[in-house]
Amino acid sequence: MITAEEVKALLRLTPHPAEGGYFTETYRSEERVAEGALPARYAGARAFGTAIYYLLTPDTVSAMHRLASDEVFHFYLGDPVEMLHLFPDGSGRVVTLGTDLLQWMRPQAVVPRGVWQGSRLVPGLVVVSRLRLEGFIVSDFEDRWPEGEARLAGWVASGELKVLEEVLDGLDSAPGALIGLLAGANTGKRMVRVGPDPR
């Protein structure tokens, strides 16, 4: 199997200056949108579109951040990636990028503008591409991970934030549990207990 060092060399990837991981820009449109034609959240003109390769390794993460534009991720190779999306209304979701569609992985994910996002590898390496249709510049990257991490830790410690678990007893309940999971009937983690808790 190809190694992370080989991927970095073959695709000419360098460390991402703000987010973590490694990247290289593969496309930037020649045409631009003038600053006056863009919403006020943009500081300056933008290319119509950009694309990059992006690599995560076991010792890197994509730090929590949000962008001024929608972003589309395409999975190319490697191990699955868990992406956390935190929406302005307070809701969130975890999306797994990968090729095992039967395990609810997806080869593409869209992150709407203004949504906090971060990613981690499950385990090994991954190569994805990221496409934006207004053109990304590093100054668009908004990093509030340290603040978010402190707040999340506080909520967990105080009991305000809890992992929801649904435990179904007995191996006989496994088919129904899986069917319900695929139908979206679960809230949080759905598990099947097949024996006594060893603790």
Side-chain angles (χ1 to χ4, degrees):
M1 178 167 173
I2 193 167
T3 68
E5 292 306 314
E6 290 170 324
V7 171
K8 284 190 261 185
L10 290 168
L11 297 181
R12 298 180 181 168
L13 305 179
T14 59
H16 194 290
E19 181 177 344
Y22 302 87
F23 85 113
T24 190
E25 187 173 271
T26 58
Y27 168 74
R28 180 171 292 271
S29 65
E30 292 181 8
E31 294 183 297
R32 298 175 66 77
V33 180
E35 181 178 5
L38 290 166
R41 66 181 180 272
Y42 296 102
R46 291 291 189 275
F48 281 1
T50 60
I52 66 170
Y53 286 133
Y54 183 70
L55 169 73
L56 281 176
T57 57
D59 58 336
T60 60
V61 298
S62 168
M64 290 297 293
H65 64 283
R66 65 181 174 180
L67 299 172
S69 298
D70 297 346
E71 190 169 35
V72 182
F73 286 74
H74 300 266
F75 183 91
Y76 290 137
L77 63 90
D79 294 302
V81 171
E82 286 183 341
M83 301 181 71
L84 174 63
H85 298 167
L86 300 176
F87 295 91
D89 67 2
S91 65
R93 71 176 175 201
V94 174
V95 176
T96 304
L97 278 174
T99 57
D100 192 344
L101 303 183
L102 295 177
Q103 292 297 315
W104 291 101
M105 296 179 191
R106 292 293 175 255
Q108 183 185 96
V110 176
V111 183
R113 67 176 173 86
V115 170
W116 288 97
Q117 60 168 301
S119 301
R120 69 177 184 172
L121 192 56
V122 187
L125 67 89
V126 66
V127 178
V128 299
S129 76
R130 294 159 61 170
L131 174 67
R132 294 180 51 180
L133 295 179
E134 89 341 309
F136 171 75
I137 60 174
V138 172
S139 63
D140 284 344
F141 182 95
E142 184 179 351
D143 180 12
R144 290 182 62 194
W145 173 246
E147 175 191 345
E149 185 176 37
R151 291 179 69 184
L152 286 168
W155 292 338
V156 170
S158 70
E160 291 179 77
L161 181 63
K162 296 180 183 177
V163 175
L164 296 176
E165 293 182 349
E166 181 183 12
V167 180
L168 303 171
D169 284 306
L171 198 53
D172 291 343
S173 66
L178 178 60
I179 291 168
L181 182 69
L182 297 176
N186 62 301
T187 55
K189 290 183 179 178
R190 173 172 279 199
M191 297 172 281
V192 175
R193 180 171 27 227
V194 295
D197 192 332
R199 287 176 284 167

